[in-house]
Amino acid sequence: MPTLLLVRHGRSTANTEGLLAGWTPGVALDDRGAAQAAALPGRLAELPLAEIVTSPLQRCRETLRPLLEARPGLTPHTDDRIGECHYGDWSGRKLAELKDEPLMEVVQAHPSAAAFPGGESMRAMQTRAAEAVHEWNARVERDHGADAVYLMCSHGDIIKSLVADALGLHLDLFQRISVEPCSITAIRYTRLRPFLVRLGDTGDLASLAPREEPPADDATVGGGAGAP
C-alpha cells in the first residue's frame, strides 16, 4: 500500500495570535508560514508524488501553492474530511481564555470524551480523517501502484489523530504527539500494519532548542505555532 506524507500547514496568523481558528474563514499564513511553504518544494524534491490532497481551508491551500507551482502536472484534490476539527463555539477564541473552560481538562486528559459545543467530538474528527486516509490509500494504490507516495496537507489535531490511529494508540494518548507547522509526517501503509517512518520532521532541529519560557505541560489545541 502507499506511503502517505502528512504536511501540517505553515504557521498561520491564528497561530501567532493565539487563536483557535477551526473553520474560521480568512485565516492565512503569516510571513514565517509563507517562508515555510516556499521551502516545501525543495524539501520534497527527491520524492515522486502520485497525488496531492488538501483540506479546503485557506492556510492549507496557501501552504501547497509553491509546491503546485513547482509541479504543474499535479492537480490537488480537496477533501473536507481532512479539514480542521469543528470547534464550534470555541472557534476564533483565544486559547488563553479557553484554558479555564472545564471542557479543556477533558480535551487534555480524556479527548475521546470531548465534544465541542456547537461543533463535533474529537472521536468524530479522528473517524472521518481515518476514513479519508483509508479510501485514498485504496485509490492511490489502484491508480499508481503499491509503492506510490502521496501527500495530504491538513491540520495539527487531524495529523496527531491519524498518527495515533496508525500506531494503534487510544485517542486519549494523542495529546502526547506534537507536529510543528509545515512539518512532514510519513506513514507507510502495508497489508498488515502501518509504519510511522517520520514524525513532525521540519528539516531542522530548531524547535528542540531551549526557550526563554519553558513549554507548557498542556498540549496546544489545534497544534500551536511551533518554534519561535
Side-chain angles (χ1 to χ4, degrees), residues 1-4 130-142 145 150 152 187 189:
M1 295 180 71
T3 295
L4 168 61
E131 286 177 351
V133 166
H134 295 316
E135 289 182 18
W136 276 102
N137 282 347
R139 177 173 173 174
V140 169
E141 182 173 10
R142 181 196 68 207
Y150 75 108
M152 283 184 169
I187 303 172
Y189 289 87

Coordinates of all heavy atoms in Angstrom, one line a residue, residues 1-4 130-142 145 150 152 187 189:
M1 N 0.8 -1.2 0.0 CA 0.0 0.0 0.0 C 0.9 1.2 0.0 O 2.1 1.2 0.3 CB -0.9 0.0 1.2 CG -2.0 -1.2 1.2 SD -3.1 -1.2 2.6 CE -4.1 0.3 2.3
P2 N 0.3 2.4 -0.3 CA 1.1 3.6 -0.5 C 1.7 4.2 0.8 O 1.4 3.8 1.9 CB 0.1 4.6 -1.0 CG -1.0 3.8 -1.5 CD -1.1 2.6 -0.6
T3 N 2.6 5.1 0.6 CA 3.2 5.9 1.7 C 2.5 7.3 1.7 O 2.4 7.9 0.6 CB 4.7 6.1 1.5 OG1 5.4 4.8 1.7 CG2 5.3 7.0 2.6
L4 N 2.0 7.7 2.8 CA 1.3 9.0 3.0 C 2.2 10.0 3.6 O 2.8 9.7 4.7 CB 0.1 8.8 3.8 CG -0.7 10.0 4.3 CD1 -1.1 10.9 3.1 CD2 -1.9 9.7 5.1
A130 N -9.5 9.3 9.4 CA -9.0 7.9 9.1 C -9.8 7.3 8.0 O -9.1 6.6 7.1 CB -9.2 7.1 10.4
E131 N -11.1 7.5 7.9 CA -11.8 7.0 6.7 C -11.3 7.6 5.4 O -11.2 6.9 4.4 CB -13.3 7.3 6.9 CG -14.0 6.4 7.9 CD -15.4 6.8 8.1 OE1 -15.9 7.8 7.6 OE2 -16.1 6.0 8.8
A132 N -11.0 8.9 5.4 CA -10.4 9.6 4.2 C -9.1 8.9 3.8 O -8.9 8.6 2.7 CB -10.3 11.0 4.5
V133 N -8.2 8.7 4.8 CA -6.9 8.1 4.5 C -7.1 6.7 3.9 O -6.5 6.4 2.9 CB -6.0 8.1 5.8 CG1 -4.8 7.2 5.6 CG2 -5.6 9.5 6.1
H134 N -7.9 5.9 4.5 CA -8.1 4.5 4.0 C -8.6 4.5 2.6 O -8.2 3.7 1.8 CB -8.9 3.7 5.0 CG -8.3 3.5 6.4 ND1 -7.0 3.2 6.5 CD2 -8.8 3.7 7.6 CE1 -6.7 3.1 7.8 NE2 -7.8 3.4 8.5
E135 N -9.6 5.4 2.3 CA -10.1 5.5 1.0 C -9.1 6.0 0.0 O -9.0 5.5 -1.1 CB -11.4 6.4 1.0 CG -12.6 5.7 1.6 CD -13.8 6.6 1.6 OE1 -13.8 7.5 0.7 OE2 -14.7 6.4 2.4
W136 N -8.3 7.0 0.4 CA -7.3 7.5 -0.5 C -6.1 6.5 -0.7 O -5.6 6.4 -1.8 CB -6.7 8.8 0.0 CG -7.6 10.0 -0.5 CD1 -8.5 10.7 0.3 CD2 -7.6 10.5 -1.8 NE1 -9.1 11.6 -0.5 CE2 -8.6 11.6 -1.7 CE3 -6.9 10.3 -2.9 CZ2 -8.9 12.3 -2.9 CZ3 -7.2 11.0 -4.1 CH2 -8.2 12.1 -4.0
N137 N -5.8 5.7 0.3 CA -4.8 4.6 0.2 C -5.3 3.7 -1.0 O -4.4 3.3 -1.8 CB -4.7 3.8 1.5 CG -3.8 4.5 2.5 OD1 -3.1 5.5 2.2 ND2 -3.8 4.1 3.7
A138 N -6.5 3.2 -0.9 CA -7.0 2.3 -1.9 C -7.0 2.9 -3.3 O -6.6 2.3 -4.3 CB -8.4 1.8 -1.5
R139 N -7.4 4.2 -3.4 CA -7.5 4.9 -4.7 C -6.1 5.1 -5.3 O -5.8 4.8 -6.5 CB -8.1 6.2 -4.5 CG -8.2 7.1 -5.7 CD -9.1 8.3 -5.5 NE -9.0 9.3 -6.6 CZ -9.7 10.4 -6.7 NH1 -10.6 10.7 -5.7 NH2 -9.6 11.2 -7.7
V140 N -5.1 5.5 -4.4 CA -3.7 5.7 -4.9 C -3.1 4.4 -5.3 O -2.4 4.3 -6.4 CB -2.9 6.4 -3.8 CG1 -1.4 6.5 -4.2 CG2 -3.4 7.9 -3.6
E141 N -3.3 3.3 -4.6 CA -2.7 2.0 -4.9 C -3.3 1.6 -6.3 O -2.6 1.0 -7.1 CB -3.0 1.0 -3.8 CG -2.4 -0.3 -4.2 CD -2.5 -1.3 -3.0 OE1 -3.2 -1.0 -2.0 OE2 -1.8 -2.4 -3.1
R142 N -4.6 1.7 -6.4 CA -5.3 1.3 -7.7 C -4.8 2.1 -8.9 O -4.5 1.5 -9.9 CB -6.8 1.5 -7.5 CG -7.6 1.1 -8.7 CD -9.0 1.7 -8.7 NE -9.0 3.2 -8.8 CZ -9.9 4.0 -8.3 NH1 -10.9 3.6 -7.6 NH2 -9.7 5.3 -8.6
G145 N -0.1 2.3 -8.1 CA 0.7 1.1 -7.6 C 0.9 1.2 -6.1 O 0.8 2.2 -5.5
Y150 N 2.0 9.7 -1.8 CA 1.1 10.8 -2.0 C 1.1 11.7 -0.7 O 1.6 11.3 0.3 CB -0.3 10.3 -2.4 CG -1.2 9.8 -1.3 CD1 -2.3 10.5 -0.8 CD2 -1.0 8.5 -0.8 CE1 -3.1 10.0 0.2 CE2 -1.8 8.0 0.2 CZ -2.8 8.7 0.7 OH -3.7 8.2 1.7
M152 N -0.9 14.7 1.8 CA -2.1 15.4 2.3 C -1.7 16.5 3.1 O -0.8 16.4 4.0 CB -3.0 14.4 3.2 CG -3.8 13.4 2.5 SD -4.8 12.5 3.7 CE -5.9 11.7 2.6
I187 N 3.8 8.1 6.9 CA 3.2 6.8 7.3 C 3.2 5.8 6.1 O 2.6 6.2 5.1 CB 1.8 6.9 7.9 CG1 1.8 7.9 9.1 CG2 1.3 5.5 8.3 CD1 0.4 8.2 9.6
Y189 N 1.9 2.5 4.7 CA 0.8 1.5 5.0 C 1.2 0.2 4.3 O 1.7 0.2 3.2 CB -0.5 2.0 4.5 CG -1.0 3.1 5.4 CD1 -0.7 4.5 5.1 CD2 -1.9 2.9 6.5 CE1 -1.1 5.5 5.9 CE2 -2.3 3.9 7.3 CZ -2.0 5.2 7.0 OH -2.4 6.2 7.8

